[in-house]
Amino acid sequence: MNILQKSSRCYVVIYIAVMLLMICTGCTQQNPLTDRDADIYQRIHKKFSRMTAYTARVEVTVYSNKTENTYLIKELMKDSQGAQLMIEKPESVQGTITRYHNGQVTMMNAGQESAVSVPAAEAYHDIFIDQFFALYYQSEKTAINTSSAGTEGANSLLLETIAVPDASHRHRLTLLIDATRLEPQVLTVYDVGGNIQLIAKFIEFQYNPSIDDSLFVSLE
């Protein structure tokens, strides 16, 4: 899996120049950052550039062909090993595992005796937070929007970036971050027409926990 690239950590050095450029030119930013917001953005960057692992419980809703399906997913990532998704709900697919390890995506449905592997490049893994930041810092088309007081998501910052590779069904991604706890709240994927394709709501999030490497042993 393309875990938060080590090269992105160099942005700590050039962060101030980048941030000032975004503030002065507006980039694609809709609302100007206050000094407080700029400080929050700096702390978000510092925290997630140092993230080496996390676990999360995420409610994911996928929209397709006028239908929607919602899943409760346990998600974990360790940059030296890879990442894993396990579906907890609905019951019909409970226990299904998708694992990203050593350049491969291994999937095993509940009740199966063997796993199926495909090249990692063929699979999208947008709901991983490290993947979002990897896209955000490599893209020239990013934005920072502040939330208005009294609205849902107040006291939050909304980061926005273009998907790589860009596709009609997967064009733009946004990540709403709690400005107090510096934790992800909602990650949304839009198609080129602005329609929501996926919403991931983070119910629980643990930063840099200890994760046993044995969890990433091949499913096969």
Side-chain angles (χ1 to χ4, degrees):
M1 174 188 175
N2 182 15
I3 303 301
L4 181 59
Q5 300 149 328
K6 293 183 179 179
S7 61
S8 69
R9 294 188 173 94
C10 72
Y11 282 87
V12 175
V13 178
I14 62 172
Y15 163 74
I16 297 297
V18 173
M19 186 181 70
L20 289 175
L21 179 62
M22 295 176 73
I23 294 173
C24 294
T25 63
C27 194
T28 55
Q29 180 178 312
Q30 296 177 359
N31 301 317
L33 294 184
T34 64
D35 289 343
R36 173 181 174 276
D37 292 332
D39 175 68
I40 293 169
Y41 179 73
Q42 183 178 9
R43 289 190 291 118
I44 288 172
H45 176 85
K46 182 178 181 180
K47 177 177 180 175
F48 287 97
S49 67
R50 295 179 177 180
M51 184 174 68
T52 60
Y54 77 85
T55 62
R57 181 165 277 105
V58 190
E59 183 184 82
V60 179
T61 302
V62 180
Y63 300 86
S64 177
N65 297 324
K66 298 183 179 180
T67 65
E68 61 181 77
N69 295 287
T70 300
Y71 307 90
L72 181 62
I73 294 176
K74 179 66 179 295
E75 176 181 340
L76 57 87
M77 182 281 291
K78 187 173 184 179
D79 65 1
S80 63
Q81 293 295 320
Q84 176 178 286
L85 301 175
M86 183 177 71
I87 299 178
E88 297 183 342
K89 294 181 180 179
E91 187 176 348
S92 59
V93 288
Q94 187 178 55
T96 298
I97 295 174
T98 302
R99 185 169 294 164
Y100 302 81
H101 180 63
N102 288 338
Q104 290 290 114
V105 179
T106 308
M107 295 176 287
M108 178 178 285
N109 295 327
Q112 279 188 327
E113 295 184 357
S114 60
V116 176
S117 294
V118 296
E122 295 181 3
Y124 293 130
H125 30 78
D126 288 323
I127 68 172
F128 288 110
I129 295 301
D130 57 308
Q131 174 66 12
F132 175 86
F133 281 105
L135 292 175
Y136 187 82
Y137 289 120
Q138 78 180 30
S139 175
E140 296 181 356
K141 297 181 179 179
T142 62
I144 313 167
N145 296 311
T146 59
S147 299
S148 301
T151 64
E152 183 178 359
N155 197 35
S156 301
L157 285 186
L158 184 70
L159 306 183
E160 177 181 326
T161 189
I162 299 299
V164 178
D166 190 358
S168 60
H169 65 284
R170 178 183 175 267
H171 173 66
R172 181 169 59 93
L173 290 81
T174 65
L175 178 62
L176 188 68
I177 298 182
D178 185 295
T180 301
R181 296 181 299 167
L182 302 184
E183 293 184 357
Q185 294 177 303
V186 182
L187 191 152
T188 308
V189 180
Y190 298 87
D191 67 16
V192 71
N195 303 302
I196 295 175
Q197 299 297 294
L198 179 148
I199 295 179
K201 297 180 179 180
F202 287 78
I203 301 170
E204 299 173 7
F205 182 82
Q206 187 176 4
Y207 175 84
N208 282 352
S210 176
I211 300 177
D212 192 336
D213 289 351
S214 65
L215 292 175
F216 297 94
V217 174
S218 174
L219 293 171
E220 298 179 309

